[in-house]
Amino acid sequence: MNARTLRVFAPLVVWLAASAAAAQDDEAVLDNVVVRNRLYEPGGKLEVSLGVGLPLQTHLTAHYFFNLGVAYNLFNTFAVEARAGYAASRHTGLARSISESFLAREDKRVTDELEDLWEMNLHGVAGIRWAPIYGKLSLVSDLPAHFQAYVWAGGGLGSFQRNSVIQCSQVVNRTAGVCDNRTSLDDRGSASEDYWVRETRVAPMVSAAVGFRFFILDKHGLRLEVRDWVFRDNYRVNLVREDWEAGRVTGESASSPGLTHLVQFDLGYTYSF
């Protein structure tokens, strides 16, 4: 993981460790029966889940995930899970600002594409969930909230699209940075089509998460997690403006494009059978 991702995960890992210590203190001092003798045992149960993911960090793209999951708990602490869903994605204001200002720059006749512009859409992953920590939090004196802290790791495939902020195949107004069919020069929302170069692909990816499952009665649950989706970037360098504006493919693929990280906060509901 890169430094940005580590900065996101580190506080949750610290909290997880602190919660484990608190759970052990509860077991030894406050109410050792509740934690030692689990009130909820997911082992041997099938569960389905619904989740919504919100971006924890945005740069050039923003993603909003909607997922459906199916898991089977082999043991109380170990499960296999498959997830599939769709990510609604968009360019951020920074990306739009770059695209509009770039068209007017005469000094950028030869340039490189930007990193981390791929947007994930449909995706599916399968992985394992390990939940070594079981504890409880005392929300009020008579209502302890039982939870599992877990880590998750797996991989799968995703469909991706990339809308360039550099290559405009049909410049409408270079000075104003317009590369679409807007009816009013000052109203970006009036456009129904743009002319930025698009690419699509299907590619492998991996995913990792840390989180908490809070048990509600025997069958229902609430899931809170931080998840990182990781896939290989791909972009072109040494692009020639005259070529792309004439509709010709230009440049070559970057030799070391690196990895893209999409870090999300997931809120989910689970139902166990």
Side-chain angles (χ1 to χ4, degrees):
M1 295 184 185
N2 60 13
R4 293 181 300 174
T5 304
L6 289 176
R7 286 197 297 269
V8 173
F9 274 89
L12 189 57
V13 172
V14 172
W15 185 37
L16 189 154
S19 298
Q24 292 173 354
D25 290 342
D26 286 346
E27 181 177 359
V29 180
L30 297 178
D31 190 358
N32 60 356
V33 175
V34 172
V35 178
R36 187 176 59 217
N37 302 323
R38 294 169 180 255
L39 185 59
Y40 301 102
E41 296 191 352
K45 295 181 180 180
L46 182 71
E47 67 182 54
V48 295
S49 63
L50 296 172
V52 176
L54 304 175
L56 282 181
Q57 59 181 14
T58 59
H59 181 48
L60 297 177
T61 64
H63 291 73
Y64 304 88
F65 283 80
F66 304 91
N67 287 299
L68 172 67
V70 178
Y72 182 72
N73 294 277
L74 299 171
F75 311 101
N76 285 335
T77 59
F78 191 83
V80 292
E81 183 176 21
R83 293 190 184 187
Y86 180 81
S89 58
R90 61 174 177 83
H91 278 177
T92 63
L94 174 60
R96 292 193 296 268
S97 176
I98 291 173
S99 66
E100 292 175 353
S101 63
F102 184 84
L103 284 183
R105 296 190 59 174
E106 292 298 329
D107 61 324
K108 293 294 185 179
R109 294 288 177 174
V110 179
T111 190
D112 297 343
E113 271 285 8
L114 300 185
E115 302 177 11
D116 296 331
L117 267 179
W118 285 98
E119 301 173 45
M120 184 192 298
N121 298 134
L122 291 171
H123 55 273
V125 291
I128 58 175
R129 183 179 67 210
W130 181 48
I133 299 172
Y134 181 97
K136 71 183 182 71
L137 297 174
S138 296
L139 300 179
V140 296
S141 59
D142 297 325
L143 184 62
H146 292 250
F147 70 89
Q148 281 184 317
Y150 65 86
V151 293
W152 194 104
L157 290 174
S159 64
F160 302 88
Q161 66 176 12
R162 190 181 196 280
N163 298 328
S164 177
V165 298
I166 300 297
Q167 301 181 74
C168 177
S169 61
Q170 184 177 329
V171 179
V172 176
N173 188 308
R174 189 177 300 278
T175 302
V178 178
C179 184
D180 54 44
N181 65 348
R182 67 184 66 178
T183 57
S184 173
L185 189 63
D186 298 325
D187 184 9
R188 185 189 300 117
S190 65
S192 60
E193 180 183 6
D194 68 67
Y195 310 118
W196 299 104
V197 173
R198 290 182 177 83
E199 301 173 76
T200 60
R201 64 170 175 155
V202 175
M205 62 183 177
V206 297
S207 184
V210 293
F212 295 87
R213 298 176 65 209
F214 290 90
F215 297 98
I216 304 173
L217 301 177
D218 188 45
K219 295 182 177 296
H220 307 276
L222 177 67
R223 185 184 69 230
L224 305 175
E225 71 178 25
V226 174
R227 178 169 293 272
D228 188 14
W229 305 86
V230 187
F231 53 90
R232 183 176 172 83
D233 201 358
N234 183 21
Y235 59 93
R236 302 182 72 81
V237 297
N238 300 321
L239 305 170
V240 179
R241 173 180 282 185
E242 286 76 9
D243 286 342
W244 80 62
E245 290 187 356
R248 297 188 293 268
V249 176
T250 181
E252 61 269 358
S253 297
S255 57
S256 301
L259 299 173
T260 295
H261 293 259
L262 303 179
V263 183
Q264 305 283 314
F265 171 74
D266 265 16
L267 174 63
Y269 163 78
T270 63
Y271 181 84
S272 299
F273 295 90

